[in-house]
Amino acid sequence: MTSPSELPISGNSDVVLIRQQVRTVAVEVGLSLVDQTKIVTAASELARNALVYAGGGRVRIEIVHNNVRAGLRLTVSDDGPGIPDIDQALVDGWTTGNGLGLGLSGSRRLVDEFDLRSVPGEGTLITVTKWAR
Amino acid sequence: MTVPVDAGRRRIEELLEQHEGQVLRRWFEIAGAMSGGHVDRGGAAVPFGEIYQALRRSLGDSHDGSDLRGLLADLSRSRARQGFTPSETANVVFGLKEAVYEIAEADGSPEALRGFVWFSRIVDDHGLFTFETYAAARERIISDQAEQLLELSTPVVKLWEGIVAVPLIGTLDSARTQVVMEKLLQMLVETGSEHAVIDITGVPAVDTQVAQHLLKTVVAARLMGAECVISGIRPQIAHTIVTLGIEFGDIVTKASLADALAHALRQSGVEFVKGRGRRVTVRTEEN
Amino acid sequence: MDRVPVLKLGDLLIVSIQIDLQDQSVLALQEDLADKVVETGARGVIIDITAVEIVDSFIGRMLSTIASITRMLDAETIVVGMRPAVAITLVELGLSLGGVRTALNLEKGVALLNHLDGARAVTAR
């Protein structure tokens, strides 16, 4: 089993690298093809969010286990301006950037567990998990 | 020297009555030794006393063994659930023979020994009955699982060049719907079919999640460049969908699989021409 | 940055995406396509995403934008070959690719363009 890896998010090319790394680990965990695609897409959304709204950050990719199943967990963190109103940020179509406002709300629908912590002025920490079936 | 069967039978019944305490005690010991010393393992206590009484009643002239069978069936099922093997359970019953043999031998009379042979055969039957119960319980589990597997193996069938259908039968849960839908979308790619029919005639009910999955599949198929028709929606399901406020929007729904096929054929440019007589000819329009 | 090549075939432009798309590549493709449509007077654009393993909201939005731009330049864009897993994920993500026409594969994409062209000719008469 690969140990947890941490990748920087500092440019557009990093988003591609993160997608590839998440895909590799998702295959290792045994996610179905559709679930692989979902978690890779979520990783892409969250990494781009960190890039666009916080100027960069980092993502930790790890394999986790509960009693019965293995899963893939992504922890995306940044030291950006934070999210003042989390509930509003999770509404479809709400955006402060120039995107579609689907990054956060959409990512949440793509994963099994979604946890968002944010302190205005300090940064944002998002943890998502996808379990193998 | 012959001893009438009835005399032997009566003698055994008498012995069973007179030495009840002793037989029960020995039976408990023997059964314990036979099933590896854990007769009481995991709360699977054997109701020796109850079975003993029921057995004695079943030997009587009224000869109604149903309560004994009930007790033995319960015993077998509960021990099967707790992980005992069927032989362990049957051995508990067979242990009674040994206990009774000891008193028959002590008695020493030809009637008692002759009666024991008869008694032994009865106990054997009961022992085998626990075996059967065990097997029946296992069979039920296996058939349940086979049914679930069958449900999973819902086929995606080709109705026409460019038209595939998935006839859904049985209860749809969210997981199964997802599996079927992924398979359908995969089939669209593999067969290059631009039309798909999802037939839910055999589906008794849908919940919000299943309806949402159906909806998402239709939208996903559209993204891939194919159109889905949903057919065979029962009145109750239509009611559920509307009550739940699920927007089916511009998704085409048809009453029957036949209507859905006709729709898909029309969409793909196939024309039906009713010729002379009762023949129906089919002509495909070239694009 | 890798640039996605745009091929011309008759009055069609064909783009086959074979790389893991970077945001810049997508933006560059958008510009290249608009230029090429005007330059060649193409009547249709086919974007083949058979090899694309994921489409996130950024890429999805760009596909919509490309379709809108080329339509304004009188060329219909058809996205072909979307994988089932990608389609399911896009639906879950909440992206409908509004205004983008799709087809199962390149061949059906070309057939759809011809069909649309035919329809246009009929309406024009």
Side-chain angles (χ1 to χ4, degrees), chain B residues 48-125:
Chain B
F48 288 100
E50 265 181 82
I51 294 175
Y52 191 78
Q53 297 306 335
L55 175 69
R56 279 191 52 205
R57 277 197 300 279
S58 77
L59 298 178
D61 288 326
S62 59
H63 206 76
D64 178 18
S66 61
D67 51 352
L68 175 63
R69 289 276 153 128
L71 279 171
L72 290 174
D74 285 349
L75 173 74
S76 186
R77 273 194 292 267
S78 76
R79 285 168 71 88
R81 269 199 299 278
Q82 284 161 42
F84 285 83
T85 66
S87 348
E88 277 179 322
T89 307
N91 271 339
V92 169
V93 178
F94 293 144
L96 178 60
K97 281 203 296 190
E98 216 173 308
V100 174
Y101 181 70
E102 281 170 20
I103 54 163
E105 196 179 40
D107 182 74
S109 68
E111 289 88 343
L113 290 175
R114 178 67 197 254
F116 175 75
V117 175
W118 163 80
F119 178 77
S120 171
R121 212 158 37 228
I122 288 175
V123 173
D124 284 351
D125 281 344

Side-chain angles (χ1 to χ4, degrees), chain B residues 34-282:
Chain B
M34 276 177 153
S35 56
H38 43 232
V39 178
D40 290 322
R41 186 172 74 190
V46 179
F48 288 100
E50 265 181 82
I51 294 175
Y52 191 78
Q53 297 306 335
L55 175 69
R56 279 191 52 205
R57 277 197 300 279
S58 77
L59 298 178
D61 288 326
S62 59
H63 206 76
D64 178 18
S66 61
D67 51 352
L68 175 63
R69 289 276 153 128
L71 279 171
L72 290 174
D74 285 349
L75 173 74
S76 186
R77 273 194 292 267
S78 76
R79 285 168 71 88
R81 269 199 299 278
Q82 284 161 42
F84 285 83
T85 66
S87 348
E88 277 179 322
T89 307
N91 271 339
V92 169
V93 178
F94 293 144
L96 178 60
K97 281 203 296 190
E98 216 173 308
V100 174
Y101 181 70
E102 281 170 20
I103 54 163
E105 196 179 40
D107 182 74
S109 68
E111 289 88 343
L113 290 175
R114 178 67 197 254
F116 175 75
V117 175
W118 163 80
F119 178 77
S120 171
R121 212 158 37 228
I122 288 175
V123 173
D124 284 351
D125 281 344
H126 292 317
L128 289 174
F129 174 73
T130 65
F131 239 108
E132 279 167 21
T133 315
Y134 186 94
R138 290 298 285 261
E139 225 138 52
R140 198 163 49 244
I141 292 169
I142 292 168
S143 73
D144 283 353
Q145 286 171 340
E147 201 173 12
Q148 284 161 8
L149 274 178
L150 193 73
E151 285 194 348
L152 273 177
S153 64
T154 308
V156 178
V157 294
K158 183 174 163 181
L159 289 184
W160 202 272
E161 190 58 49
I163 304 172
V164 294
V166 43
L168 295 175
I169 292 161
T171 312
L172 285 179
D173 61 15
S174 177
R176 186 184 163 218
T177 315
Q178 229 166 325
V179 169
V180 174
M181 295 306 146
E182 284 177 32
K183 205 164 133 187
L184 173 65
L185 297 182
Q186 192 56 47
M187 270 295 274
L188 293 177
V189 177
E190 281 167 18
T191 61
S193 301
E194 288 175 310
H195 296 275
V197 180
I198 303 171
D199 183 71
I200 58 171
T201 309
V203 178
V206 296
D207 60 12
T208 320
Q209 275 207 314
V210 170
Q212 293 284 10
H213 276 307
L214 287 175
L215 208 65
K216 283 176 187 169
T217 307
V218 176
V219 179
R222 262 186 205 163
L223 283 177
M224 291 167 54
E227 278 298 321
C228 288
V229 180
I230 298 179
S231 68
I233 301 179
R234 287 157 175 252
Q236 307 95 291
I237 294 183
H239 191 257
T240 310
I241 289 171
V242 173
T243 312
L244 291 172
I246 297 163
E247 220 22 90
F248 257 53
D250 53 349
I251 291 170
V252 180
T253 52
K254 292 284 167 194
S256 70
L257 182 58
D259 291 344
L261 175 60
H263 172 84
L265 284 171
R266 259 196 313 278
Q267 291 293 305
S268 48
V270 177
E271 222 179 288
F272 285 86
V273 181
K274 200 157 197 174
R276 263 171 305 168
R278 302 191 65 83
R279 267 181 311 151
V280 172
T281 51
V282 177

Side-chain angles (χ1 to χ4, degrees), chain C residues 21-99:
Chain C
L21 285 173
Q22 240 188 72
D23 294 3
Q24 266 89 1
S25 313
V26 182
L27 292 169
L29 175 64
Q30 189 183 317
E31 284 174 27
D32 290 354
L33 266 176
D35 291 348
K36 269 275 174 68
V37 167
V38 174
E39 197 182 302
T40 63
R43 63 177 177 90
V45 175
I46 292 182
I47 303 178
D48 180 14
I49 59 169
T50 308
V52 175
E53 290 183 334
I54 80 141
V55 173
D56 63 7
S57 62
F58 183 83
I59 302 172
R61 185 160 54 117
M62 282 308 136
L63 292 175
S64 286
T65 309
I66 289 173
S68 303
I69 291 175
T70 61
R71 190 172 297 135
M72 207 174 282
L73 301 171
D74 201 24
E76 196 67 40
T77 293
I78 308 211
V79 173
V80 306
M82 186 184 291
R83 299 180 176 197
V86 170
I88 292 171
T89 303
L90 276 179
V91 173
E92 209 70 59
L93 196 60
L95 214 63
S96 56
L97 297 193

Side-chain angles (χ1 to χ4, degrees), chain A residues 38-115:
Chain A
K38 285 182 178 175
I39 189 75
V40 173
T41 308
S44 187
E45 296 292 336
L46 296 176
R48 184 176 293 101
N49 266 358
L51 197 60
V52 171
Y53 296 101
R58 61 225 142 256
V59 58
R60 186 181 154 86
I61 306 167
E62 60 189 320
I63 297 177
V64 288
H65 296 272
N66 66 6
N67 301 329
V68 281
R69 296 183 291 182
L72 192 164
R73 177 167 295 157
L74 301 174
T75 310
V76 182
S77 53
D78 67 57
D79 308 318
I83 301 168
D85 188 339
I86 291 175
D87 288 339
Q88 192 177 34
L90 284 170
V91 172
D92 266 0
W94 189 87
T95 178
T96 55
N98 58 355
L100 292 170
L102 288 172
L104 277 184
S105 56
S107 302
R108 181 157 71 161
R109 284 192 293 268
L110 294 177
V111 296
D112 297 321
E113 286 168 26
F114 184 96
D115 183 60

Side-chain angles (χ1 to χ4, degrees), chain B residues 9-25:
Chain B
R9 196 173 149 170
R10 268 198 304 280
R11 185 67 196 137
I12 284 291
E13 284 182 35
E14 284 165 23
L15 287 171
L16 285 175
E17 192 180 354
Q18 285 161 15
H19 302 276
E20 183 177 332
Q22 191 197 335
V23 173
L24 271 175
R25 203 167 48 249

